[in-house]
Amino acid sequence: MPKVTEEYIASKKKRITDAAYALCLQKTVSTVTMQDIIDRTGLSQGGIYRFYKDIDEIFADMIRQMRERVSIKGKIDEILEQKDELPPRMITDRLFAMLADFMESELMGIEKIDFELSVLAMNRPDRIEKIMGGLPEAGNMEYLTLRTMAYFKEQMERGRIRPRVNAEELLAFISSAYGGIQMTCIVNNCYRHERNPLAALYQPRSLLKILAQTVNELIGAGEARI
């Protein structure tokens, strides 16, 4: 038998994860089946199971590749590196503008899949543990939370912001609000077909701009000594 190279294995696995990704854009994550992936790839059942033992292992590899393909970690670092040159209010505005760019570009892609994984987590936490538990590094939002937590604490110690709540409460609020905006935008842009009179307002940029203004009020950015 000819020797199977690492390149061959990587190519086959990417074919499978690419099929899974395309199916997750067409259907909800929870309804994608192994048979769907078999049909999409044209591989046999044995050809799929040769590389992955189940669909959750495919999803885990798919998410790892998604994180490698679309990462905003460098952009987060770039903005926070300007913390000594720019006032806190401007740092907030730039972070949320960057998040708006990301959400707009990935609303029908990574953001949709991420939202549906959150729904799956509520119904099948055992599956989410299998899918997410072995991922080697933090995702975009986890990384943003860690970096901004350190940033807020440093700015508080230096007296550049005067938050009305502590850093942990502030990050919990931002995370919850971002999740709500993500859900609202996805539901109204991906799933609903009837005309919603508020549809024009359920867009990432406008909602995240308001969230940025709210965060600046909470951290007292407009009152702090710069």
Side-chain angles (χ1 to χ4, degrees):
M1 290 182 62
K3 182 179 180 181
V4 175
T5 65
E6 291 185 5
E7 290 78 9
Y8 173 86
I9 295 172
S11 175
K12 287 293 185 182
K13 293 181 77 171
K14 189 173 187 304
R15 181 176 171 183
I16 294 167
T17 55
D18 284 351
Y21 180 78
L23 286 162
C24 286
L25 301 187
Q26 294 175 359
K27 306 173 66 173
T28 60
V29 171
S30 62
T31 60
V32 175
T33 66
M34 188 66 89
Q35 187 60 51
D36 289 332
I37 296 175
I38 291 169
D39 294 341
R40 181 91 182 190
T41 60
L43 296 172
S44 66
Q45 187 177 44
I48 298 286
Y49 284 106
R50 180 180 181 185
F51 302 102
Y52 296 102
K53 64 181 180 182
D54 58 31
I55 194 168
D56 290 339
E57 194 171 87
I58 295 174
F59 284 159
D61 207 12
M62 177 190 77
I63 293 167
R64 180 186 59 76
Q65 293 176 21
M66 283 166 45
R67 289 182 174 183
E68 292 175 354
R69 179 176 62 83
V70 183
S71 174
I72 59 173
K73 295 175 184 178
K75 294 178 181 178
I76 294 168
D77 292 340
E78 182 179 335
I79 293 170
L80 292 178
E81 282 171 4
Q82 303 174 73
K83 60 185 173 60
D84 294 325
E85 291 77 36
L86 299 177
R89 179 176 290 274
M90 191 172 292
I91 293 292
T92 301
D93 290 342
R94 292 192 178 189
L95 282 172
F96 280 98
M98 179 270 297
L99 286 174
D101 291 339
F102 173 69
M103 190 179 285
E104 284 182 344
S105 66
E106 292 293 335
L107 190 65
M108 300 293 286
I110 290 174
E111 290 286 87
K112 172 184 179 292
I113 292 172
D114 181 62
F115 167 68
E116 290 173 354
L117 286 170
S118 298
V119 175
L120 183 62
M122 291 186 285
N123 298 309
R124 291 291 306 276
D126 57 318
R127 287 193 64 191
I128 290 298
E129 177 58 30
K130 284 178 61 179
I131 295 169
M132 308 296 288
L135 294 178
E137 59 181 24
N140 286 319
M141 294 303 112
E142 296 169 271
Y143 185 78
L144 178 61
T145 299
L146 293 171
R147 286 301 317 274
T148 50
M149 175 77 76
Y151 163 73
F152 283 138
K153 288 183 175 180
E154 179 200 32
Q155 296 293 297
M156 289 167 61
E157 291 171 359
R158 295 174 59 187
R160 285 169 59 89
I161 61 174
R162 301 188 181 97
R164 291 165 171 78
V165 295
N166 64 42
E168 288 78 8
E169 291 170 331
L170 180 60
L171 264 296
F173 167 74
I174 294 172
S175 177
S176 299
Y178 182 88
I181 290 171
Q182 179 192 53
M183 179 185 70
T184 298
C185 291
I186 289 170
V187 167
N188 283 276
N189 288 279
C190 298
Y191 305 132
R192 291 186 179 174
H193 301 290
E194 72 273 14
R195 181 64 182 168
N196 188 318
L198 296 178
L201 299 177
Y202 292 147
Q203 302 302 321
R205 193 162 303 277
S206 58
L207 294 177
L208 286 169
K209 182 178 180 180
I210 295 170
L211 180 56
Q213 294 170 349
T214 303
V215 170
N216 275 327
E217 289 300 316
L218 284 173
I219 67 175
E223 304 168 9
R225 296 186 300 274
I226 305 304

